[in-house]
């Protein structure tokens, strides 16, 4: 897994920077993130669904937010902070899933590896180890175990050695030269790809 990202203010934009004048009356808050005593409001880039929560949650679960919120703020506490994540066209949204995980709220179903990748990317960017651990457990359950190449890819990317070893053995049921496997192999780093080819070659020689 890559080291924690360097704090870069341009990853998020305040409401004032966007020249927005929305008030609570015109904002649609997520029902699970609408606490009237929340002191920070987040929204996805280009999104119209708002998340109001306590900054303490973000400070204690994300060193990135802890650093950002410790800097002098030239804005009122409840101005909207627009995150870099796209809202997408269908729920559940990445920001929704991520905030549920760090807030201790019931989790929504994660449908596939594309959603897993988005959550892990955001969690790594904002240095949130909790969601990363949750995803690590999730990918070792059905139906994610049915896709060993995707499991191997994500495990290698984040340095999950036990999961990578397990996934690599599951790929032995497939031929690495099959056309449908090629796009999956292209996701791998050079080292991960060479290790996989070495495993398949050694099993053929045995």
């Amino acid at each position: 897994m890559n080291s924690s990202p360097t704090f870069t203010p341009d990853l998020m934009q305040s409401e004032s920077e966007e020249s927005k004048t929305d008030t609570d009356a015109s904002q649609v808050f997520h029902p699970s993130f609408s606490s009237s005593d929340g002191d920070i409001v987040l929204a996805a880039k280009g999104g119209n669904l708002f998340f109001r929560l306590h900054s303490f949650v973000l400070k204690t679960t994300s060193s990135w937010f802890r650093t950002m919120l410790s800097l002098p703020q030239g804005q009122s506490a409840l101005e909207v902070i627009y995150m870099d994540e796209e809202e997408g066209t269908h729920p559940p949204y990445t920001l929704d899933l991520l905030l549920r995980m760090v807030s201790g709220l019931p989790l929504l179903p994660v449908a596939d590896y594309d959603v897993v990748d988005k959550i892990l990317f955001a969690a790594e960017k904002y240095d949130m180890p909790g969601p990363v651990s949750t995803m690590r457990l999730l990918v070792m359950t059905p139906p994610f175990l049915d896709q060993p190449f995707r499991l191997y890819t994500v495990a290698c990317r984040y340095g999950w050695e036990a999961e990578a070893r397990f996934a690599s053995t599951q790929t032995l049921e497939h031929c690495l030269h099959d056309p449908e496997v090629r796009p999956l192999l292209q996701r791998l780093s050079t080292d991960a790809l060479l290790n996989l080819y070495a495993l398949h070659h050694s099993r053929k020689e045995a």
Side-chain angles (χ1 to χ4, degrees), residues 76-88:
S76 64
L78 287 180
E79 284 187 336
V80 179
I81 296 176
Y82 286 88
M83 308 298 292
D84 199 39
E85 279 58 52
E86 298 283 356
E87 185 174 82

Side-chain angles (χ1 to χ4, degrees), residues 6-13 17 64 82-84:
T6 303
F7 171 68
T8 51
D10 60 339
L11 278 175
M12 49 176 57
Q13 296 175 308
E17 290 171 333
W64 193 92
Y82 286 88
M83 308 298 292
D84 199 39

Side-chain angles (χ1 to χ4, degrees), residues 191-205:
D191 284 345
L193 181 59
L194 291 176
N195 289 339
L196 194 60
Y197 267 105
L199 174 65
H200 279 247
H201 179 72
S202 66
R203 293 301 175 91
K204 288 181 179 179
E205 293 292 317

Side-chain angles (χ1 to χ4, degrees), residues 4 8 11 51 68-69 114 129-130 137 140 157 168 174 180:
S4 300
T8 51
L11 278 175
F51 301 79
M68 190 275 291
L69 294 173
D114 290 340
L137 294 173
M140 293 301 290
R157 183 186 306 148
S168 66
H174 304 268
E180 62 270 20

Side-chain angles (χ1 to χ4, degrees), residues 26-38:
S26 62
Q27 292 171 345
V28 178
F29 286 96
H30 189 292
S32 296
F33 296 95
S34 58
S35 175
S36 60
D37 59 349

Side-chain angles (χ1 to χ4, degrees), residues 96-102 104-110 134-135:
D96 184 3
L97 294 168
L98 197 67
L99 292 179
R100 283 176 177 273
M101 291 178 192
V102 300
L105 295 176
L107 303 183
L108 298 176
V110 176
T134 300
M135 291 298 99

Side-chain angles (χ1 to χ4, degrees), residues 124-179:
E124 182 180 23
K125 178 166 57 177
Y126 301 120
D127 197 9
M128 294 178 167
V132 174
S133 297
T134 300
M135 291 298 99
R136 185 174 186 175
L137 294 173
L138 181 67
V139 296
M140 293 301 290
T141 65
F144 298 99
L145 291 175
D146 297 334
Q147 301 180 62
F149 288 99
R150 292 297 297 269
L151 175 57
Y152 181 69
T153 299
V154 72
C156 290
R157 183 186 306 148
Y158 291 96
W160 303 341
E161 295 182 1
E163 291 82 355
R165 285 195 299 270
F166 173 83
S168 66
T169 60
Q170 299 305 301
T171 67
L172 292 170
E173 299 179 5
H174 304 268
C175 175
L176 298 183
H177 299 287
D178 286 347

